[in-house]
Amino acid sequence: MLKKDLHEANRLSWNAATRAHNSHKGDQARFLREGGSTLFPEELELLGELRGRSVLHLQCNSGQDTLSIAARGAQVTGVDISDEAIDFARALSAGSGLPGTFERSDVYDWLASAPPARFDLVFCSYGVIGWLSDLKPWAEGISRVLKPGGRFVLVEFHPVLWLFDDKLRLAYPYGGGHHVPEAVGVGDYVALSGEGLVPWGFEEGVRNFKNPNPCHSFQWGVGEVINSFLRSGLMLERLEEYCYANGCKMIEGMREAPGHRYLLPEGVPELPLMLGLSVRKAG
């Protein structure tokens, strides 16, 4: 069941956090104008050819990945619940010269009102599943807006990762849509990750950020995510698991590897830290 009151609390928390996140990223418009991209190889491989494709980027945050997709020749639409993120994305589109349409909305409301069979690709990435209070209407909405033969692509932190706190202590249940309230709100993971997320030059920006607004996340398992799409009539094409995390340093002592990837601390057995998923709508 949708928990719209908690979505609204998350909107406020993300508004505050987004300002802190972008304070570390310098002149992002210039980075994009000069041919820079925030996409990692994993999402590029799963997305495939983008030129001429219509792409919907759900929970797009401040639009950096959305516009990196636009730079490859796609027509992009980005949707996010955060006012701050969408305002920034629109300014980034204008400043970079990369065209994109950005709409502020709860993802559920947007999917319910959008015209059907409109997009070749729907895309989500990095820290999105945990903000969904109900998988069923999300997956059904994605299926509805995809054209026949269209695909949904997800590159996401693995649900196993969210069993642990930042000191790698087992702290949370697996799956079931369990509600996890966080009084501290969305944190400044950009400051913690440094150049992992800002390879063009991390800036100090906001220091010691403390979010005044709490947030609420939800625990979903891999099977629950996949089954939500199968029940919505989409077909599983590909499932990948990766024992590293792109860009984001979420566990104390994580080690940086080439390509701005992070590994678990020395001596800790490997665990899946990301997953990649592709599902297709019948043609």
Side-chain angles (χ1 to χ4, degrees), residues 120-166:
D120 298 309
L121 284 164
V122 178
F123 177 57
C124 288
S125 62
Y126 300 110
V128 294
I129 297 295
W131 303 108
L132 300 171
S133 60
D134 193 340
L135 294 180
K136 183 175 183 288
W138 175 70
E140 288 176 346
I142 288 171
S143 178
R144 179 176 166 275
V145 301
L146 278 172
K147 295 177 181 178
R151 292 188 303 127
F152 170 73
V153 170
L154 171 72
V155 179
E156 174 64 293
F157 298 117
H158 203 289
V160 165
L161 179 61
W162 303 123
L163 299 178
F164 302 95
D165 65 15
D166 60 0

Side-chain angles (χ1 to χ4, degrees), residues 5 34 85 108 119 126 154 156 164 240 246 280:
D5 58 328
E34 294 178 350
Y108 294 100
F119 296 97
Y126 300 110
L154 171 72
E156 174 64 293
F164 302 95
E240 301 287 348
N246 281 339
R280 184 179 294 274

Side-chain angles (χ1 to χ4, degrees), residues 165-168 249-255 263-265:
D165 65 15
D166 60 0
K167 293 180 172 55
L168 207 57
K249 187 177 183 180
M250 294 170 286
I251 304 292
E252 287 186 6
M254 288 186 88
R255 300 167 289 143
L263 309 173
L264 288 172

Side-chain angles (χ1 to χ4, degrees), residues 33 66 82 133 145 170 177 194 207 216 221 225 227 252 275:
R33 280 198 310 272
T66 322
S82 166
S133 60
V145 301
L170 190 60
R207 300 187 182 191
H216 303 266
V225 174
N227 284 331
E252 287 186 6
L275 63 82

Side-chain angles (χ1 to χ4, degrees), residues 6 31-32 76 82-83 94 97 104 113 126 142 160 178 187 229 231 242 260 265-266 273:
L6 302 185
F31 171 71
L32 293 172
V76 298
S82 166
D83 316 75
R104 197 226 65 84
S113 63
Y126 300 110
I142 288 171
V160 165
H178 290 286
F229 287 109
R231 294 185 185 112
Y242 313 92
H260 301 286
E266 193 72 44
L273 301 183

